[in-house]
Each structure stands twice: as structure tokens, then as C-alpha cells.
């Protein structure tokens, strides 16, 4: 398969030939969901978990999953390369309706798009990043991986504009997550992350880290994190499928801990890398 091939509604084609209608509800309304699934040397990472989350996102927006697990795997396979790290991006929208109308269209097939991109080495894994806190302006469907990402984009860009790499979002005095990541902190030696609910995306990387912490006797808990706790955490990390675990070494212009990725970050990053290796 040519390296820039993508999948659109049943066919593979070069990226430049993949076209959708301007009446697609993804384009008009942001009416759709997506997934980002890493693949290490051709092996999809935690595929079942990603497909389960896709199922949950589709249920949240009242769309039927157009494919079975096996069909999805068959769609992804030709896009993957065995010699590098990549991620699958898949998007499903409510399809192309005959006219623009907020109400769901009847008898319209969803649009299914899949592409695959390289995961490049992260320049800031060893150094960590700066982050800024900001008021979480999002809605009550953050548990669904909706393509409607305007608030997340504005948060991320506001962080970049301030010379930071990520926004850490705060709702009613408590941390929710990053603009495109989950948040972990270390409080009195214990790893803490906010509980699941409609205020955060249930990150797959987040779940993997909690599993690894449990298996390796690293103390952890799911708990609300106040801004005061965030500000006195000895370590802060953000996690995602494409960036794995990145330490936040500066928050709102103030050093976190020693201003370098902390000891628990090293432990958990080591465990994550070993776990990835074990699946190859
Ligand atoms: N985003 N929270 C939000 C808002 C996210 O957008 C993401 C990931 C996560 C982490 O989830 P996971 O560990 O399953 O990747 C949490 C992806 C990578 C993206 O939008 O590109």
C-alpha cells in the first residue's frame, strides 16, 4: 500500500483523492466521533480498549457502529507499516444529508475515514514541558471522543501563545484534564488522577498507567485534584496515545518539583516502555 493511502467509505486511495461532500455533517456541524490508536511496529496498541471507547463515543452521539471489531482491524491492516511507530486516526460522521438541518437525517450512511501517520520521536520527553492552567470552557460530553474540538483547540492555542505546550483545564476549582491529554500528579508520593466521568476523556494511556502502577506496587488513587493540590504537587504529567507520558516541569511560570521530570515519572515511563516492548 502506498505510504500516503487513506481509507474512505470502503475504498483505499491516495490522500489527495480522498474527498467528502460539503454537506457532510462532520463538516457542517462537527457531528461525529474519532479515535487515535497507536501502532508500534505494525501492532495496534490496546486495540480492544480503543474500539470499546469508540463504541461508547458512538452511543453518546446516538450513532450505530458501522463495523465489527474484525472489520475495523481489517480496514486498519493495509495502512500499517511493520518498521515504525504510527497512529491510526479514524473518524465517523453522521454522513451526508440532503440539506443542512440540525435534526438527524433519515437513512443516511455514516462517513468513515481512516488515515495513518508516523509517530515521530518526542523532542521533550527527557526535558518535560511547560503548561498553564485555564478555566475549562468545555461541555458535559467530554467522555465522548467527539470531533467537535473547538474548545480544546482554543485552550491548546492559548497555551502555545503563552509559550507553554499544554493547557491544564480547571473546572469549579478542580483539575479535569489537558486540552488533548489526561493529567496525573504526585501528592505525598501517591500518584493521583481525576476519576472518570463526563468531565474528562477516559484516556487509554491513563488506564494503562494505572494498571502498571497497580501491578508494580506504585501507590495510586483516582481522586479530585484541587488547584491548591496541583500547585504543591511534586510531579505533574500529561498523558496521551501520541505523546505517552510527558512531565510538566513548569506550571504557570513556576517550577514543578526540581524543574525536571521527577523520579516517579522515570519509574512509570520505564514501565510503559517495557510494557510496549513486551507486546511486540
Ligand atoms: N487526544 N483527553 C483529551 C481531551 C484528549 O484529546 C486525549 C487524546 C486524551 C488522552 O487519551 P488517550 O490516552 O486515549 O490518547 C485525554 C488524542 C491523542 C488526539 O486528539 O489527538
Amino acid at each position: 500500500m502506498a505510504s500516503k493511502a487513506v481509507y474512505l467509505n470502503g475504498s483505499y486511495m491516495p490522500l489527495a483523492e480522498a474527498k467528502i461532500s460539503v454537506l457532510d455533517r462532520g463538516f457542517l456541524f462537527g457531528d461525529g466521533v474519532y479515535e487515535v490508536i497507536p501502532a508500534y511496529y505494525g501492532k495496534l496498541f490496546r486495540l480492544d480498549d480503543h474500539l470499546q471507547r469508540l463504541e461508547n463515543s458512538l452511543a453518546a452521539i446516538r450513532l450505530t457502529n458501522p463495523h465489527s471489531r474484525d472489520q475495523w482491524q481489517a480496514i486498519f491492516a493495509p495502512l500499517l507499516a511493520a518498521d515504525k511507530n504510527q497512529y491510526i486516526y479514524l473518524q465517523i460522521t453522521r454522513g451526508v444529508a440532503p440539506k443542512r438541518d440540525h435534526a438527524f437525517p433519515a437513512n443516511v450512511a455514516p462517513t468513515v475515514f481512516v488515515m495513518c501517520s508516523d509517530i515521530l520521536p518526542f523532542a521533550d520527553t527527557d526535558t518535560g514541558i511547560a503548561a498553564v492552567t485555564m478555566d475549562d470552557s468545555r461541555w458535559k460530553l467530554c467522555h465522548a471522543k467527539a470531533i467537535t474540538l473547538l474548545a480544546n483547540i482554543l485552550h491548546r492555542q492559548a497555551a502555545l501563545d503563552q509559550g507553554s505546550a499544554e493547557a491544564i483545564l480547571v473546572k469549579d476549582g478542580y483539575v479535569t484534564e489537558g486540552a488533548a491529554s489526561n493529567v496525573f500528579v504526585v501528592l505525598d508520593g501517591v500518584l493521583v488522577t481525576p476519576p472518570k466521568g463526563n468531565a474528562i476523556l477516559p484516556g487509554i494511556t491513563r488506564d494503562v498507567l494505572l494498571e502498571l502502577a497497580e501491578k508494580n506496587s506504585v501507590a495510586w488513587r483516582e481522586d479530585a485534584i484541587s488547584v491548591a493540590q496541583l500547585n504543591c504537587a511534586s510531579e505533574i504529567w500529561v498523558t496521551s496515545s501520541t505523546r505517552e507520558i510527558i512531565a510538566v516541569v513548569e506550571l504557570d511560570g513556576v517550577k514543578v518539583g526540581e524543574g525536571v521530570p521527577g523520579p516517579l515519572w522515570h519509574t512509570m515511563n520505564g514501565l510503559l516502555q517495557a510494557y510496549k516492548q513486551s507486546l511486540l
Side-chain angles (χ1 to χ4, degrees), residues 34 36 53 145 152 177 179-182 201 203-205 239-241:
Y34 75 108
V36 174
R53 185 172 64 185
K145 205 163 170 58
N152 303 63
E177 60 182 339
S181 56
N182 290 113
L201 184 80
I204 307 302
T205 321
T239 66
S240 74
S241 292

Side-chain angles (χ1 to χ4, degrees), residues 40-132:
Y40 303 115
Y41 296 96
K43 295 224 168 70
L44 289 155
F45 183 72
R46 304 283 287 218
L47 179 63
D48 287 348
D49 294 353
H50 281 279
L51 290 181
Q52 183 57 53
R53 185 172 64 185
L54 177 67
E55 195 70 50
N56 299 345
S57 298
L58 286 165
I61 71 159
R62 298 167 58 188
L63 251 187
T64 305
N65 195 337
H67 297 302
S68 67
R69 185 196 177 287
D70 289 348
Q71 286 170 337
W72 281 118
Q73 207 164 5
I75 290 169
F76 302 151
L79 300 171
L80 297 171
D83 60 349
K84 53 184 171 180
N85 293 335
Q86 299 169 297
Y87 66 91
I88 290 283
Y89 173 87
L90 88 85
Q91 172 169 323
I92 306 168
T93 77
R94 208 177 304 275
V96 180
K99 63 183 173 70
R100 182 181 180 275
D101 182 351
H102 287 64
F104 294 174
N107 306 318
V108 164
T111 299
V112 177
F113 173 64
V114 185
M115 64 180 172
C116 191
S117 306
D118 293 350
I119 298 180
L120 302 170
F122 322 125
D124 40 20
T125 296
D126 296 333
T127 54
I129 58 166
V132 280

Side-chain angles (χ1 to χ4, degrees), residues 15 75 78 80 111 225 243 271:
L15 180 63
I75 290 169
L80 297 171
T111 299
I225 301 166
R243 308 293 306 279
L271 290 171

